[in-house]
Amino acid sequence: MKFSFPELAAGRYKKIISNIWKFTAYSTLLVVVYLLAVSFNLFWLFGKMPSPEEIENPKSDVASEIISADGKVIGKFLYENRSPIDFSELSPNIINALVATEDVRFTVHSGIDARSTLRVITGLFSGQRKGGGSTISQQLAKNLFKMRESDYYQGPLYNIPGIKQIIIKTKEWITAIKLERRYTKQEIMEKYLNTIEFSSGAFGIRSATKTYFKKEPSEVTLEEAAVLVGMIQNPSRFNPKFHPEAAKNRRNIVFDQMVKYDKLSPASAEALKKAPITLNYQPESHNTGLAPYFREFLKGWLKEQIVKEGYEPDDIYTKGFKIYTTIDSRMQFYAEEALKENMKDQQKKFNEHWKGRNPWVLESKDREGVYKEIPNFIENIAKTTPRFKELKEAYDGDLDKVWKEMNKPGKMRVFTWSGERDTVMSSMDSIRYYKRFLHSSFLAMDPRNGQIKAWVGGINYKYFKYDHVKQGKRQPGSTFKPFVYVTAIDNGFSTCEHVVDQPITISVPGGSWTPKNSDGVYSYKSLTLRQALGQSVNTVSAFLINQFKAGNVINYAHKLGIRSELDEVPALCLGISNVSLYELMAGYCVFANSGKYTEPIFVTRIEDKNGELIKEYYSDSKEVISQETAYKMIHLMRGATLPGGTAFGGLSRYGVLDGNEIAAKTGTTSNYSDGWFMGITPTLVAGGWTGGDDPTIHFRSIALGQGARVSLPTWGLFFQKVYGDKTIEYKKGSFLKPSTVSVSGDCVFAAGEGYHIDSLQKYTPPTAKPADDDQL
């Protein structure tokens, strides 16, 4: 049989169509089977897929935020510095730059952009790269579930070269489609921007805008948005801090993309391309930012609290808790600036004072009248350092090799009051260098509600981690005296009584004790309690503790908030037992709070990342002394801020006394190792400590080392700044006098009390001092 050409052609055409149909059908079936095999992890070969629950509630580490009383984020606890945002918080500049650069058909595709994928495939065959094919949804799937890195999603086929990449890409396609079905486009973009890594420890767009520009995502300009969107392709390579030229070129490509897709005019793009990248680069770190000492203390406290609520301790780094604190960011900033300004000046004086000598010396002179250095002082400290211990282990206890290594010079960066400095010194030189620094702390608290408003634990957290607010305890010196006076006042000793400043000898086990005043002189004057406390006369404090006994003073101190163990000896009246600034502050707040002890509080509530309340905190308050006794103490301590008082001259320099009532107490320990100042205003109590890291390191004169010189300036500067800020509620004012008391000069007496009561002991002031007093 013969066939005509048209019949032959038609047959061949049908055969070709049939083969194409069969190929398509078999290919489609094969693809479907492959997709099903991947989706259901057939024979456990392909590895797991994200479950419906994971799609519904994708997990990513979210940093917990520490929020100040005035609504500022002052720090974070994190593994990844990520703070999620809502779509409504995004600047249109970010959205337009992102869509134009990463996924121009984002609003129309369903997770996979066929056109972009085809472009990538043709580019592979032609050898020309024509851009990426991943949609924002695919990139979100990649960022959320990390199927390229996580062992959780891997199967045996991942070990075959080339197969792993195909399976991973398939999983990301499938996951992207599932995400598109579950979430709106806005939600997908929101989640995507929350998952991107932006280098410098920033995860998510909010952390990025804060790190590079110190702005919220709603505030960034078009230029800034283009820089951040440009970083998405390769965050490290296009980091504007470390690779400014590459970042600028990449930013300009973003502008070109925006022009191409009508998001920006050509003229505007050309103008923007010429502008340099302007950063406000402040990467978040536990060493930087406001209140680092407080944040470190808070971390340990928070772990204990969330465990009580059923969480794991390390959840503070991943669960996105919101910790609302009582710290006021403005006052915290002023406190840190005040302490910095004062301590920079104190260190300069200290260096001049010890110029040419080491400050670690014996407390008594040798036969030649010279203060000798403490033998092996630095060497003994060196033995306690981690570096020494590591070397000792590495060299199997060979101390010669250890000391040789400890004395070997090397490059290091050190702290100075002019900023960090690169230098060359040995480990031993480093110990000598840092031991010369004076340290300081400062705390401010609202006595009415116990809320701590500012917490400065040291001079620089990066280099000196030790917290001198709560962790550190030192002798309080004369700042302990109010606990002696309140014991006497609350047990019937009148504020109108006079006590003579003269030697007093008290029997103690094994002998006797005769205290001296700070200047070694007895005035033999008859002093009111207000004068005696205001001038910090030691003999009067010794007289009172001798009459009312150390045990009673300890009871009152503990009742008012001192938690440390106190020595039951007469010298307790001069502050010989170590206490922390934190507990001393709580005690002073009792006087300002009408006799009520209020437990210090620093957190008001904790929420989860969705804003659901986990725990709320309130401060317990109870009356421990009467309001009359509390006001009497305030009146007595105001003596320190009157002419002749230990704090009058210092506070006058800062203008904080004008139109303001302040009750205060200075404190200086023996040999001037510790300098304290505690100041009470009607609505805010603050105080601070200054001294060497080791008590043997100190000034050698009271003119330089007393609390009024080393710690009072921080207090004065702080309140000067607070009173100057009209947005802060704490203002100058007067103490509220109870209606049940009356005041006459230095005397305060409650209703029903006489002007004068019998004292436990009366002295008649001599008409003249003993002739040898001038020699004291």
Side-chain angles (χ1 to χ4, degrees), residues 39-177:
S39 297
F40 294 99
N41 190 19
L42 186 65
F43 302 126
W44 300 279
L45 294 172
F46 299 90
K48 296 180 180 180
M49 283 285 295
S51 67
E53 292 77 17
E54 291 174 314
I55 296 290
E56 182 73 22
N57 296 293
K59 295 179 181 179
S60 59
D61 289 353
V62 178
S64 293
E65 295 181 334
I66 307 165
I67 303 170
S68 69
D70 53 321
K72 305 294 184 182
V73 177
I74 61 173
K76 297 176 182 178
F77 299 127
L78 51 89
Y79 288 142
E80 295 181 353
N81 182 14
R82 190 192 317 276
S83 297
I85 58 160
D86 294 326
F87 184 84
S88 60
E89 299 176 81
L90 291 171
S91 165
N93 294 323
I94 296 174
I95 297 170
N96 291 334
L98 178 65
V99 171
T101 306
E102 294 295 320
D103 192 355
V104 73
R105 281 176 290 279
F106 173 66
T107 58
V108 296
H109 66 65
S110 298
I112 300 175
D113 186 355
R115 192 186 306 181
S116 296
T117 303
L118 183 61
R119 184 184 68 232
V120 172
I121 294 172
T122 58
L124 290 174
F125 282 108
S126 65
Q128 298 178 349
R129 183 167 179 156
K130 298 183 179 181
S134 293
T135 64
I136 286 176
S137 303
Q138 288 173 246
Q139 293 182 55
L140 174 59
K142 173 184 173 183
N143 293 344
L144 278 179
F145 303 109
K146 304 186 184 303
M147 288 177 279
R148 296 170 184 259
E149 300 94 14
S150 175
D151 293 338
Y152 178 80
Y153 295 105
Q154 296 188 16
L157 292 178
Y158 276 56
N159 297 320
I160 303 176
I163 297 297
K164 176 180 179 179
Q165 286 71 25
I166 295 173
I167 295 174
I168 288 174
K169 199 68 178 177
T170 304
K171 288 183 176 182
E172 290 174 355
W173 284 343
I174 296 170
T175 304
I177 293 171

Side-chain angles (χ1 to χ4, degrees), residues 97 221-231 250-251 254-255 258:
T221 64
L222 180 57
E223 301 98 300
E224 293 164 345
V227 170
L228 295 175
V229 169
M231 292 178 69
R250 180 61 185 165
R251 178 202 66 178
V254 174
F255 289 146
M258 295 182 73

Side-chain angles (χ1 to χ4, degrees), residues 440-464:
S440 192
S441 58
F442 186 82
L443 190 66
M445 176 174 160
D446 188 327
R448 300 166 297 180
N449 52 28
Q451 293 190 0
I452 291 175
K453 311 308 293 185
W455 178 315
V456 188
I459 59 175
N460 185 284
Y461 182 75
K462 180 177 180 180
Y463 288 91
F464 307 100

Side-chain angles (χ1 to χ4, degrees), residues 545-609:
I545 201 169
N546 189 43
Q547 297 296 332
F548 293 95
K549 306 309 175 187
N552 289 328
V553 173
I554 291 172
N555 290 337
Y556 270 86
H558 286 161
K559 189 162 62 171
L560 268 66
I562 301 298
R563 299 290 175 253
S564 296
E565 292 187 10
L566 302 173
D567 297 317
E568 192 174 341
V569 294
L572 176 66
C573 69
L574 305 185
I576 63 165
S577 296
N578 291 344
V579 300
S580 70
L581 174 58
Y582 185 89
E583 55 191 331
L584 199 61
M585 176 65 63
Y588 272 71
C589 283
V590 172
F591 304 133
N593 195 30
S594 301
K596 294 178 181 177
Y597 171 77
T598 302
E599 187 72 25
I601 184 174
F602 39 84
V603 171
T604 56
R605 70 185 189 277
I606 302 172
E607 295 177 354
D608 66 16
K609 65 180 180 182

Side-chain angles (χ1 to χ4, degrees), residues 616-660:
E616 204 159 10
Y617 298 88
Y618 303 93
S619 182
D620 293 330
S621 183
K622 62 180 179 179
E623 184 175 294
V624 292
I625 56 176
S626 69
Q627 63 176 344
E628 291 83 6
T629 296
Y631 186 77
K632 288 176 181 180
M633 289 303 303
I634 289 292
H635 189 72
L636 295 185
M637 283 191 285
R638 286 190 60 207
T641 67
L642 299 176
T646 57
F648 174 74
L651 292 178
S652 297
R653 291 194 294 270
Y654 301 100
V656 294
L657 289 173
D658 302 331
N660 199 25

